[in-house]
């Protein structure tokens, strides 16, 4: 497979815009009084947090592939988790929970481990497939 190995993707702006939209949707879900997404077992909420932040960090880890930018993306994802909890603290009936931030951090660590696998090239593979499909 002919996957681009440079740090910057061809469609960087589009990937960033889509990632921003995903984060806005995540924020909206976090601040909605009843988002209707629950896991009906103990700590199901923490699993949702970890899964969400695994996906977010996985996305940004695909967009920012070089070490330093990926480090900033990691800090940004963690700051986003803290921001969500702060916003929930200010927005009853939602409530803040430090364990949610811990679950967010666990999700980020899982994503960083997964980014050591071929999953780090998902967006680059989409771009390579598109170029091959167009014939150039």
């Amino acid at each position: 497979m002919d996957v681009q190995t440079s740090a910057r993707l061809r469609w960087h702006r589009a990937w960033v815009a889509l990632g921003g939209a995903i984060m806005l949707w995540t924020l909206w879900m976090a601040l909605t009084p009843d988002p209707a997404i629950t896991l009906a077992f103990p700590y199901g909420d923490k699993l949702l947090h970890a899964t969400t932040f695994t996906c977010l960090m996985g996305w940004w880890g695909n967009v920012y592939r070089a070490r330093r930018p990926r480090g900033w993306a990691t800090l940004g994802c963690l700051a986003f988790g803290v921001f969500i909890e702060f916003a929930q603290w200010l927005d009853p009936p939602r409530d803040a929970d430090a364990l949610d931030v811990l679950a967010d951090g666990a999700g980020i660590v899982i994503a960083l481990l997964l980014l050591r696998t071929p999953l780090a090239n998902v967006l680059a593979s989409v771009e390579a497939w598109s170029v091959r499909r167009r014939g150039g």
Side-chain angles (χ1 to χ4, degrees), residues 25-103:
W25 179 79
T26 301
L27 181 62
W28 179 78
M29 291 296 289
L31 298 179
T32 299
D34 182 14
I37 296 178
T38 59
L39 297 178
F41 55 83
Y43 304 105
D45 174 57
K46 305 309 177 246
L47 181 59
L48 284 173
H49 275 265
T51 302
T52 298
F53 278 79
T54 298
C55 294
L56 285 174
M57 186 62 228
W59 180 269
W60 293 113
N62 263 264
V63 172
Y64 296 105
R65 299 165 51 184
R67 185 181 187 102
R68 184 168 292 185
R70 187 175 282 172
W72 284 111
T74 301
L75 290 175
C77 283
L78 187 57
F80 182 59
V82 171
F83 173 78
I84 286 172
E85 293 309 310
F86 183 71
Q88 287 179 338
W89 178 65
L90 294 173
D91 184 34
R94 302 305 295 257
D95 58 342
D97 184 351
L99 291 178
D100 287 350
V101 175
L102 185 62

Side-chain angles (χ1 to χ4, degrees), residues 1-5 9-11 15 65 121-136:
M1 178 173 276
D2 183 27
V3 175
Q4 177 188 356
T5 58
L9 298 169
R10 287 183 186 100
W11 303 339
W15 298 129
R65 299 165 51 184
N121 295 316
V122 170
L123 297 181
S125 295
V126 169
E127 288 185 357
W129 173 81
S130 175
V131 168
R132 280 194 318 275
R133 190 159 190 261
R134 285 186 286 156

